[in-house]
Every structure is written in structure tokens, then in C-alpha cells.
Amino acid sequence: MEFEFSRDINRVDWVELARVIELAPLGVRDPSKLAKAFSNSASRCFVYDAEKLIGAGRAISDGVWRSAIFDVVVLPDYQGQGIGTKIIKFLLGNEDVDVVMLYAATGKEGFYKKLGFLKMKTAMAIMNDPERRRESGFVE
């Protein structure tokens, strides 16, 4: 099956992307905030099966030293077909920096390890609702 990988932000139905993210499941997202986050990102990737949005991902970057990949998502019915790998490679192909970091959903660390990502020992964060994130295994 041939899928279309696109950077075209004007084609995106943000309500539909919020639905894809929820079904993946990466949580509930506000469509207007998704539009702002993807618009402000240095690189973005949207994946379509014909006209159906089935996956996405984005990266922020300083263009020199650091980049971070976020919101890599593929609808469950399409997972296991290499789409997530292609999204990561698409985003990495647009980055020429020393370090590319990402957040992995709990249980997906092995997927990213196969792509060459290493687990960091010193990454830290300040976040809203840390207890919920602790319960989900996202932080110590």
C-alpha cells in the first residue's frame, strides 16, 4: 500500500488529527493547540491513505545543536507497517543538529531504540500534573 507523506499544514483537519492522537492512544488534545504547535514546529509530517489522515509527527529545532521530536502517531489499524519509522526518518532528514531528542510513549522505548535513539540519564522536566505522569510511568 502506498501512503502519502506531506509537510502541507494547510491540508490538515486539526479535529481529525486530534482524533488520530486520541485513538493512537497519546491522549486528548485540543485541535486549536495542535494547529499552533505544528505551525510553530521546524518540521512536520502528515501521513495520508488517500485522503484519510492516518499519522503525523513534528520536530522543533534551534537549527544548530538541538532538535526534539514530538507527537509521532499512527492510527492503530496502520501500526506495524513501517509508517512510524518513515515519519521519524522524514523528520530526521530535515534536521542537521548534534542531538535529536524525543519523548517516547510508555512502552514504545524499544521502537525508538531500534531507530538509534539512546535513553538519556539526565533528562529532566517541569510539567503540569506530575502525579498523573508518574502514575502512567512517564516520570520517576
Side-chain angles (χ1 to χ4, degrees), residues 8-120:
D8 185 0
I9 203 159
N10 297 314
R11 180 177 174 188
V12 179
D13 177 334
W14 300 107
V15 172
E16 185 63 16
L17 180 55
R19 188 185 75 79
V20 170
I21 288 172
E22 188 172 352
L23 292 173
L26 287 184
V28 176
R29 303 286 178 85
D30 178 298
S32 65
K33 289 182 179 181
L34 280 174
K36 185 174 183 179
F38 273 81
S39 295
N40 289 334
S41 296
S43 181
R44 60 198 65 86
C45 177
F46 305 101
V47 187
Y48 295 90
D49 180 1
E51 292 301 312
K52 179 180 180 180
L53 180 63
I54 62 166
R58 67 187 182 91
I60 61 174
S61 179
D62 62 19
V64 180
W65 292 293
R66 303 289 184 268
S67 176
I69 293 175
F70 297 97
D71 300 322
V72 175
V73 60
V74 177
L75 279 174
D77 290 348
Y78 290 86
Q79 291 176 9
Q81 298 181 47
I83 297 167
T85 298
K86 288 180 182 176
I87 291 171
I88 293 292
K89 289 181 178 179
F90 186 98
L91 295 170
L92 290 173
N94 292 308
E95 296 299 322
D96 185 20
V97 296
D98 290 342
V99 177
V100 177
M101 304 179 331
L102 61 78
Y103 285 102
T106 305
K108 298 293 185 183
E109 299 90 348
F111 168 75
Y112 294 107
K113 188 173 183 177
K114 286 186 221 173
L115 294 171
F117 287 88
L118 305 171
K119 198 168 196 177
M120 295 176 65

